[in-house]
Amino acid sequence: MPTANATRTMTGGEAMAEMLRLHETGPMFGMGGFQLLPFYDACRRLGLRHYLINDERCGAFAADAYARVTNRPGVADGTLGPGATNLATGMAEAFNAGMPMICITGDTNREFSWKNMTQEARQLEVLRPLAKEVIRVEVIKRIPELFRRAFAVATSGRPGPVVIDVPEDIAHGSFDFDADDFWVDPGTLKAQARRSRPAAEDIARAAALLAHAERPLILAGGGVHISEAYGALLSLAEAEGIPVAHTMSGKGAIACTHPLSAGVFGRYDRIANAMIAESDCLLVVGCKLGEIATKRFSLFNGGTPLIHLDVVAEEIGRTTRADVALVGDARCGLEDLRAALGGDAAHRAAWTAQVPVRMDAWRESAREKLEATERPINIGRLMGELNRILPADAVLVADGGFAGHWGGLLFDTKQAGRGFVADRGFASIGYGVPGGIGAQLGVGKTRRVVAMTGDGGFNMSLGDLETARRVGAALVVCVFNNAASGYVKALQHAVFGPGAYQSSDLVEMDYAAIAQAMGCKGIRVEDPEQLADALRAGLANTETPTVLDIIVTRDPARMLPAADNRTLKVEKGDRPV
């Protein structure tokens, strides 16, 4: 007769922590409350890395950035009510960007729910639209099963956040678990899990279009990073002689320094928008073709054949006509296209030869920004120094607002991979510091992380500089100090004219002094000739976070890296858009 399975008496919190341990979970970020106390205690006893965060929104941002550089689910938690609802903004970022995330929320004791429990709210109704799935644990013995489900959902298809809602009595209660219930599917530990391939007949149609094209162009989005499709993309591009442009999220799909790199396309571009106009076949990979990528839906003419490869079928044709829909994983689809094509790039030699020539011309035109000597400092000069000084394996994190736009346009990745992290899913301000923390913990101490943020974004999250110091994340934070909500002020200037500024000015602060008072290294930079030494000093400091307080231009006409296409109609006398 079969022997009975062994049992383990555990609290719900212990079972939760054990499942996270089995899933090889990395750093977790949260702020505890009574509902999840057994979970926190179990994390302590199991040696899991759980870090107190000073704001749950920052915890979700840190988890998001960790997921971006590792493709493993970031984990954040919040207690009942405000803790849970504070996760919403970071969850929206991860949901829109396709980042795997597990968000654990404490909830009321079910015996007393909806009897005016302290901090009680309809939190799941708030979070449900921002999650791939919301899982409420109603039966304690199902914790192992439901955690497996959460990781499977978070890492498969287009990844995203999953909420696990745990009532107080579930976390504090105990149960004799069957020891055999504690197992994991190793295929769901990271994205891209459970890959799927496009249909063979669709690959054949796409290959036929590409084979006959003289001027094809690949447009790479963030899905290339999620799929880790770098090798497949480079193999196809080099074998077939196809240049590659990228979105801000797709930067690093191939190295920006590669001779086939056409740079960013969309609202801001180097040479890619002109090449899109000249192309006779476009291959879009892992990109939703949203507002910024399509230059507010004006970039594509509808006459050029367009092949769209995406893991989410309903994204294809959503904003831009697609002639061939390839539904499946980016890496698998690119591998299949490579196999279906002949590998003949000779007839495109003239097309591909244009790319480095055009890029050299663009770099010459950008030299004024990249090497600017003016005071206050031109942000372009900072980007030039970062391009020169950062190691190839460094990670640049860009906050929402113009940090992302300057970085997206002017920063060069030197190798394929997620070397540029920008919160373009939701573009919330305040991502820089917590995103830098998550990225630094994700890549480890031997790789350097630099985060860029405006003074407005830094004000939102500077409390978590203390978190960075406490957890040993010795990142370098570059604060664009222009005493303003710069992106808004620049748009007000473009739309309404000089002097028409409302609610966009800040009091100038000495952020270097603030950093020093918080036990970090602080360097105030007012002269562009000091930038290189300040960056090197920050990168050399691996003991504490470093804040570079960079005094940048106060001229709203010079705050953006290029013209914002949304303001062009104003110049023609139309109403602002």
Side-chain angles (χ1 to χ4, degrees):
M1 295 180 62
T3 59
N5 291 333
T7 61
R8 299 173 61 183
T9 301
M10 307 170 71
T11 66
E14 289 175 306
M16 293 160 57
E18 175 64 8
M19 287 304 295
L20 291 173
R21 184 187 71 81
L22 292 174
H23 279 96
E24 302 174 12
T25 301
M28 299 176 280
F29 308 92
M31 184 181 295
F34 180 75
Q35 290 75 23
L36 295 178
L37 282 184
F39 166 67
Y40 274 63
D41 187 61
C43 288
R44 174 186 63 81
R45 287 185 283 108
L46 289 175
L48 300 183
R49 289 186 293 161
H50 188 289
Y51 299 126
L52 171 65
I53 202 82
N54 286 309
D55 184 292
E56 293 91 349
R57 184 183 71 139
C58 289
F61 283 156
D64 173 270
Y66 171 84
R68 288 176 197 254
V69 298
T70 65
N71 274 348
R72 304 182 69 88
V75 179
D77 63 77
T79 192
L80 167 67
T85 58
N86 279 349
L87 294 172
T89 301
M91 282 181 55
E93 171 61 42
F95 184 71
N96 290 349
M99 291 299 107
M101 185 185 293
I102 305 294
C103 292
I104 300 170
T105 56
D107 212 331
T108 55
N109 186 311
R110 291 173 300 167
E111 182 179 353
F112 306 115
S113 295
W114 309 119
K115 294 179 70 173
N116 291 326
M117 292 285 285
T118 302
Q119 297 185 318
E120 188 171 32
R122 296 188 180 274
Q123 60 192 43
L124 297 189
E125 294 178 29
V126 173
L127 300 179
R128 195 176 304 276
L130 309 175
K132 282 189 71 177
E133 189 164 306
V134 170
I135 299 172
R136 181 172 163 87
V137 183
E138 296 283 2
V139 179
I140 189 171
K141 72 176 182 180
R142 295 187 64 188
I143 286 174
E145 166 208 342
L146 295 177
F147 269 68
R148 282 192 296 273
R149 168 75 181 176
F151 274 82
V153 172
T155 57
S156 61
R158 179 199 285 162
V162 174
V163 174
I164 305 177
D165 189 66
V166 185
E168 174 190 306
D169 52 305
I170 294 290
H172 286 256
S174 61
F175 182 76
D176 292 335
F177 287 92
D178 186 333
D180 290 342
D181 285 345
F182 289 89
W183 59 273
V184 300
D185 179 351
T188 63
L189 297 182
K190 64 178 292 188
Q192 183 73 33
R194 299 173 176 173
R195 297 175 187 264
S196 59
R197 309 194 89 89
E201 58 268 28
D202 294 329
I203 288 288
R205 291 171 58 215
L209 283 176
L210 286 169
H212 289 93
E214 296 295 324
R215 300 178 305 281
L217 186 66
I218 295 173
L219 305 177
V224 173
H225 294 297
I226 298 168
S227 178
E228 296 181 343
Y230 313 117
L233 175 62
L234 185 62
S235 176
L236 177 66
E238 291 183 336
E240 298 296 326
I242 307 178
V244 180
H246 60 79
T247 63
M248 281 193 275
S249 296
K251 182 181 283 289
I254 67 171
C256 292
T257 52
H258 192 283
L260 286 175
S261 173
V264 69
F265 70 93
R267 178 174 295 167
Y268 303 114
D269 85 302
R270 298 182 177 186
I271 64 173
N273 288 2
M275 295 190 73
I276 288 172
E278 298 168 22
S279 175
D280 59 359
C281 186
L282 298 168
L283 171 59
V284 179
V285 183
C287 174
K288 294 183 290 185
L289 291 176
E291 177 198 356
I292 292 180
T294 60
K295 202 173 179 180
R296 188 160 274 198
F297 314 108
S298 67
L299 190 57
F300 301 95
N301 60 28
T304 303
L306 189 146
I307 304 159
H308 196 165
L309 168 58
D310 201 281
V311 75
V312 181
E314 55 267 31
E315 289 294 352
I316 300 175
R318 181 179 180 184
T319 72
T320 306
R321 172 183 170 176
D323 295 273
V324 179
L326 299 179
V327 181
D329 170 67
R331 189 172 78 191
C332 292
L334 291 168
E335 289 171 345
D336 291 350
L337 282 172
R338 172 74 177 87
L341 290 163
D344 180 13
H347 66 295
R348 302 190 183 111
W351 173 241
T352 57
Q354 292 181 36
V355 179
V357 174
R358 291 186 180 194
M359 192 63 78
D360 286 344
W362 173 83
R363 291 186 191 282
E364 184 60 34
S365 72
R367 184 185 299 276
E368 180 183 0
K369 292 186 176 75
L370 293 168
E371 299 180 2
T373 59
E374 66 202 58
R375 297 180 61 173
I377 295 168
N378 187 309
I379 295 174
R381 174 63 181 270
L382 171 64
M383 304 313 306
E385 298 295 352
L386 288 168
N387 286 339
R388 283 185 284 274
I389 293 172
L390 281 189
D393 65 352
V395 177
L396 181 65
V397 177
D399 207 327
F402 59 52
H405 293 264
W406 280 96
L409 179 60
L410 294 177
F411 179 63
D412 286 333
T413 57
K414 301 179 180 72
Q415 62 186 29
R418 187 83 82 167
F420 180 69
V421 172
D423 61 329
R424 302 314 306 170
F426 208 43
S428 177
I429 306 299
Y431 185 90
V433 169
I437 294 171
Q440 187 69 76
L441 293 176
V443 301
K445 293 184 178 181
T446 60
R447 292 176 60 188
R448 303 301 285 131
V449 171
V450 175
M452 301 190 303
T453 181
D455 41 8
F458 191 60
N459 288 344
M460 289 184 178
S461 56
L462 67 84
D464 277 301
L465 201 60
E466 181 273 333
T467 304
R469 179 185 168 194
R470 173 166 33 87
V471 305
L475 71 156
V476 179
V477 181
C478 296
V479 181
F480 302 161
N481 188 336
N482 56 14
S485 179
Y487 192 64
V488 173
K489 191 168 186 176
L491 292 176
Q492 288 175 342
H493 180 90
V495 174
F496 301 111
Y501 312 126
Q502 174 61 47
S503 303
S504 57
D505 289 312
L506 299 169
V507 172
E508 183 167 325
M509 307 288 283
D510 187 336
Y511 293 109
I514 292 171
Q516 290 171 348
M518 295 179 71
C520 304
K521 187 179 184 68
I523 305 173
R524 192 169 175 89
V525 185
E526 300 180 84
D527 187 329
E529 300 305 320
Q530 299 172 332
L531 275 171
D533 287 343
L535 279 170
R536 291 190 179 97
L539 293 170
N541 176 30
T542 57
E543 298 301 317
T544 67
T546 299
V547 172
L548 305 186
D549 183 14
I550 304 170
I551 310 306
V552 299
T553 182
R554 268 61 174 162
D555 182 356
R558 297 171 64 82
M559 287 180 178
L560 296 181
D564 187 310
N565 69 292
R566 293 174 297 176
T567 68
L568 297 181
K569 290 186 178 182
V570 178
E571 298 173 6
K572 299 174 183 177
D574 295 335
R575 291 179 60 83
V577 291

